Amino acid sequence: MKFSINHQERYSRGELLLRTLFGVIYIGIPHGFLLFFVGLWAGVLQFLAFFAVLFTGKFPKAMFNYQVGLITWVLRLNARLLNLSDGYPAFGLKAVDKNVVFEIEYPEKLSRGHLLLRFFFGYFYILIPHGFILFFRQLWALILIFLSWWSVLFTGKYPKGFFAWIEGTLRWQTRVLIYTMFMTDKYPAFTGESLADE
């Protein structure tokens, strides 16, 4: 999996204030409305993909690409709502964003054993350990988002260390998500850093 958000040299104070005051109206509502229906269909496809992987060992490519498009859309949206990127997030599953990159290699074969392990015991060996750590990581990320807001307002710059932590938190969450969605057999790493094979 490859995920990155471009750290800009300068951030717009005007966009920051606009997103803070009216972001829910002009970003959250239109994207949230469409993503609700796109997400419903993604849930149906995920249900069908489970049985496809169980019986064939393959995640149907069209369904896989749909899920990738949805995850990318949500990451684009989060990058704006968390003030990690300026500009308006594009709509659609196939939209391109120069500031937000998400790529995942399509797996030619998936393990049925891993699938069943995740289905029956995923809560214990995925969600509990990752969820516990991510809970505290997200709390710290919220503090950094608050401090970064003031930094951008007064300096036009997003502190690189703060940015890296928040981006890393999104990366970690996304790794857990694609593993629980049966899109990879690779267990998610306990880190927000980019891995050598990414």
Side-chain angles (χ1 to χ4, degrees), residues 11 22 38 48 57-58 72 80 84 90 122 139-140 152 154 172:
Y11 283 78
F22 304 108
V38 172
L48 297 174
K58 287 183 176 261
T72 307
R80 271 48 182 223
L84 296 168
L139 287 180
W140 183 240
V152 172
F154 290 114
W172 190 335

Side-chain angles (χ1 to χ4, degrees), residues 48-61 64 106-116 118 182-185:
L48 297 174
F50 172 84
F51 289 100
V53 174
L54 182 62
F55 292 115
T56 69
K58 287 183 176 261
F59 200 120
K61 193 158 190 178
F64 185 88
Y106 174 73
E108 292 298 331
K109 197 77 175 163
L110 290 166
S111 166
R112 296 176 177 111
H114 273 99
L115 176 80
L116 293 173
R118 277 173 278 193
F182 322 122
M183 297 173 73
T184 181
D185 283 337

Side-chain angles (χ1 to χ4, degrees), residues 1-4 101-105 167-168 170-176 178-179 184 186-198:
M1 181 199 91
K2 179 181 178 184
F3 168 63
S4 64
V101 174
F102 173 70
E103 297 171 3
I104 177 173
E105 187 177 343
E167 179 190 37
L170 289 173
R171 183 180 293 114
W172 190 335
Q173 291 170 336
T174 305
R175 282 197 195 109
V176 172
I178 63 173
Y179 185 72
T184 181
K186 184 177 179 182
Y187 187 79
F190 284 87
T191 179
E193 301 293 323
S194 287
L195 303 176
D197 60 352
E198 294 179 337

